[in-house]
Amino acid sequence: MRIYNTMTGTKEEFVPLKKDCVGMYVCGPTVYNYIHIGNARSFVVFDMVRRYFEYRGYDVTFVQNFTDIDDKIIRKANEEGASVFEVSERYIGEYFKDADALGIERATVYPRATRVMEDIISFISDLVGKGYAYGTQDGVYFSVEKFKDYGKLSKKNTDDLISGARVDVNEQKKNPLDFALWKLAKPGEPYWESPWGQGRPGWHIECSVMSSKYLGNPFDIHGGGPDLVFPHHENEIAQSEAKSGVRFVNYWMHAGYLNIDNQKMSKSLGNFFTVREILDRYDPMTVRFFMLSAHYRNPINFSFELLDQAQVGLDRIKNCVFRLRELKGRAGECAGDKEVLQYAEEQRQNFISSMDDDFNTAEAISHIFNMVSFANTRIDDGSGQAAIDCAADAVTELMGVLGISLDIKKELLDEEIERQIEERQQARRRKDYAAADNIRDELKAKGIILEDTPQGVRWKRR
RNA sequence: GGCGACGUACCCAAGUGGCUAAGGGAGAGGUCUGCAAAACCUUUAUGCCCCGGUUCAAAUCCGGGCGUCGCCUCCA
């Protein structure tokens, strides 16, 4: 497998630290609000990565944190007159609702900043002891100039950053780029005891602490959104490597942005949709399919039109599997067809080689569509039972690797609808097509699509 | 200003040195059907932002433009 590593800017052959095992850490949400659809993209992307590793036989340890203490959470809690704990707890719950809907598998562990406070404090103590950190009147800071490799991930050099001069004013800091490891609490703010006084951890430190706690140093893969490259991941590297003296992470992976009107979706611009809003209007699997229809590192533009396109594409795949499953019962009438079997295996291999090449889901999906087309052409000519199963299984399996369930389970219609379908069939038999079409329209209004096939009436929900 | 990414058909989107440039959507024509839907067949880029260059050979490499976007500040 080849993976694009942000650190080196090239695709590299993936060599795990431990044979057949992968340790990956993905930066999770700061829980003060619902996640938006842009946040969701990177979670979907890394879920796809994780699923693919598992498909290829790796044992994956997947760690994703919750940032459950931070300025924004404090602000939100104050606004609502709630405690920080209540706010974070609530939005962790909401996160799981969205993530579950999108088919994102649960992580192996979900560490939270507030639950690893002792580890954080001892980590910072180490840094202070080694001379990488210093205290000020408002906290403890990491001294960037002590870490000579600072900027190696984001390809920035400290001189340019300083002259860029968009850093906040804080006379206490020795260098404008220095960042907080520990923030002392202002009156009324929640706090934890520490050798430097009552306070809370800075944002970057938790990820260094939690990743090393569960995965050690170095570990295989660290992922996150593209806007985390600088400064968050850069700072993680500085802290972790300063402390441990060894490489922090072997492969850095970053997803592309999900844009809207070709611009980054962001809360300050107000141009974002929450996952919740979108899921009111679209099947979550459609959203997931849309997100995976482009390569994970490329930016994708979000629009309802594109979502509609994705939905039609996904329906094509679902229809095919549906038809194949339907044929199962009539297998005896079909002639054998080894070709389908072979074709399915061929496309499966193509899928794998696309995915092996830095998780090229766009190309991988094209092989699924090829499989669908091939199967569709054979449905009418007739294929053997094994071949039909094989085709349906292959499509279902590969979509499953992408985390997209086809959900073609048979559900029962209520009696009223059942009766209407029968009524329409009678109308058709007596060639009363006006009445038949009427009923079809009525059902359509209820979300039931009818299709007349040589095997009888088929229905599906829209 | 510094650093970086991207620009492929009407739309989305792979391909990054060499068979006739994947795949999906949309459109057009056809098969099937009472009609519709689904499905199938045919069709839609002699060309991959522009201009140079390297090469037997470039969408793919190099140089220069133009355009779009991002990071440099909390942000997935």
Side-chain angles (χ1 to χ4, degrees):
Chain A
M1 286 176 67
R2 286 159 61 79
I3 296 179
Y4 181 90
N5 186 352
T6 308
M7 183 63 86
T8 58
T10 55
K11 284 184 202 172
E12 298 170 12
E13 185 61 32
F14 176 69
V15 182
L17 284 160
K18 193 175 155 205
K19 192 174 181 299
D20 299 328
C21 293
V22 179
M24 60 190 288
Y25 183 92
V26 175
C27 292
T30 300
V31 281
Y32 68 104
N33 211 334
Y34 295 106
I35 59 167
H36 70 226
I37 192 86
N39 303 140
R41 182 190 186 190
S42 55
F43 298 135
V44 164
V45 161
F46 290 107
D47 180 64
M48 171 278 290
V49 168
R50 180 257 188 96
R51 283 171 181 268
Y52 187 65
F53 272 122
E54 286 174 345
Y55 179 68
R56 297 290 265 132
Y58 288 92
D59 183 12
V60 180
T61 304
F62 190 100
V63 182
Q64 184 177 94
N65 69 302
F66 284 117
T67 299
D68 63 349
I69 177 65
D70 134 288
D71 293 358
K72 290 190 288 286
I73 300 172
I74 293 173
R75 198 193 319 136
K76 181 84 170 188
N78 287 153
E79 279 168 20
E80 297 188 353
S83 74
V84 162
F85 176 76
E86 283 164 349
V87 169
S88 60
E89 201 63 21
R90 170 165 10 112
Y91 287 109
I92 285 171
E94 300 300 336
Y95 167 80
F96 280 128
K97 285 184 197 164
D98 291 335
D100 290 348
L102 289 169
I104 294 168
E105 281 186 350
R106 295 293 175 113
T108 315
V109 225
Y110 286 102
R112 305 182 190 185
T114 60
R115 296 186 183 178
V116 293
M117 220 35 95
E118 282 179 25
D119 300 288
I120 289 175
I121 288 165
S122 104
F123 198 111
I124 297 174
S125 296
D126 266 19
L127 288 175
V128 172
K130 290 185 174 176
Y132 282 104
Y134 59 91
T136 69
Q137 286 184 353
D138 64 353
V140 179
Y141 288 85
F142 185 90
S143 181
V144 165
E145 59 200 22
K146 294 270 171 56
F147 185 71
K148 61 182 187 314
D149 285 339
Y150 194 79
K152 65 178 172 180
L153 179 69
S154 54
K155 316 285 184 287
K156 296 179 187 305
N157 69 67
T158 49
D159 294 340
D160 287 346
L161 283 167
I162 292 168
S163 63
R166 291 212 293 181
V167 281
D168 60 336
V169 185
N170 183 337
E171 285 89 33
Q172 309 245 341
K173 292 201 285 187
K174 291 180 182 168
N175 182 314
L177 298 178
D178 292 350
F179 54 91
L181 297 169
W182 188 260
K183 294 173 151 183
L184 294 177
K186 298 192 189 78
E189 287 181 346
Y191 61 81
W192 285 259
E193 298 291 345
S194 86
W196 316 284
Q198 299 172 336
R200 62 181 182 275
W203 175 40
H204 313 293
I205 191 72
E206 63 177 87
C207 287
S208 288
V209 170
M210 295 171 181
S211 57
S212 60
K213 181 180 173 81
Y214 292 99
L215 300 169
N217 272 356
F219 60 92
D220 295 306
I221 295 175
H222 190 131
D227 41 7
L228 297 183
V229 176
F230 187 91
H232 186 238
H233 291 159
E234 199 69 70
N235 291 351
E236 280 186 53
I237 292 170
Q239 294 162 341
S240 300
E241 298 190 354
K243 175 176 181 289
S244 71
V246 300
R247 196 209 303 227
F248 177 42
V249 165
N250 282 155
Y251 302 87
W252 284 93
M253 294 183 69
H254 293 94
Y257 280 116
L258 186 143
N259 294 326
I260 186 157
D261 296 327
N262 277 317
Q263 282 198 310
K264 179 182 171 180
M265 196 175 271
S266 85
K267 300 205 167 163
S268 52
L269 283 169
N271 60 345
F272 65 93
F273 290 99
T274 60
V275 169
R276 214 46 75 81
E277 291 175 87
I278 299 307
L279 261 29
D280 278 348
R281 293 176 55 175
Y282 288 89
D283 182 314
M285 290 300 115
T286 296
V287 175
R288 188 170 171 118
F289 186 67
F290 163 72
M291 288 175 171
L292 296 178
S293 65
H295 185 91
Y296 79 90
R297 281 189 284 114
N298 288 150
I300 52 176
N301 210 25
F302 177 86
S303 77
F304 292 103
E305 190 195 339
L306 263 19
L307 232 31
D308 289 337
Q309 285 193 13
Q311 188 167 82
V312 180
L314 181 55
D315 280 346
R316 178 172 164 80
I317 295 170
K318 283 165 119 171
N319 281 337
C320 173
V321 173
F322 193 92
R323 295 174 75 205
L324 287 167
R325 297 293 188 211
E326 199 176 52
L327 280 182
K328 268 181 135 174
R330 316 185 298 119
E333 305 163 25
C334 302
D337 188 347
K338 288 279 181 285
E339 251 186 290
V340 177
L341 233 88
Q342 272 173 20
Y343 195 82
E345 189 45 36
E346 200 178 303
Q347 295 311 308
R348 193 197 316 269
Q349 291 312 317
N350 288 342
F351 177 94
I352 289 170
S353 57
S354 294
M355 292 294 283
D356 273 358
D357 185 15
D358 194 31
F359 308 96
N360 193 338
T361 53
E363 194 174 82
I365 287 170
S366 79
H367 303 307
I368 296 177
F369 274 114
N370 287 340
M371 183 67 237
V372 165
S373 293
F374 193 86
N376 274 334
T377 60
R378 290 313 169 97
I379 285 174
D380 295 331
D381 342 13
S383 299
Q385 172 77 53
I388 286 167
D389 279 348
C390 165
D393 289 350
V395 173
T396 307
E397 169 192 318
L398 300 181
M399 290 297 279
V401 174
L402 299 177
I404 299 168
S405 81
L406 268 13
D407 194 25
I408 50 165
K409 60 178 183 293
K410 268 279 188 195
E411 55 178 316
L412 291 175
L413 287 168
D414 59 54
E415 285 179 26
E416 171 62 12
I417 291 172
E418 208 70 76
R419 195 186 57 70
Q420 281 180 288
I421 291 175
E422 181 48 37
E423 198 179 303
R424 173 168 173 274
Q425 285 304 83
Q426 285 171 13
R428 291 182 70 212
R429 267 180 236 118
R430 60 174 189 270
K431 302 220 190 299
D432 184 356
Y433 295 119
D437 290 350
N438 254 335
I439 295 172
R440 187 166 60 195
D441 289 344
E442 276 174 38
L443 288 172
K444 191 177 179 182
K446 292 180 189 169
I448 306 288
I449 308 281
L450 294 188
E451 293 175 10
D452 300 322
T453 75
Q455 290 80 46
V457 187
R458 195 164 77 204
W459 66 272
K460 63 183 178 188
R461 285 192 195 280
R462 167 63 301 155

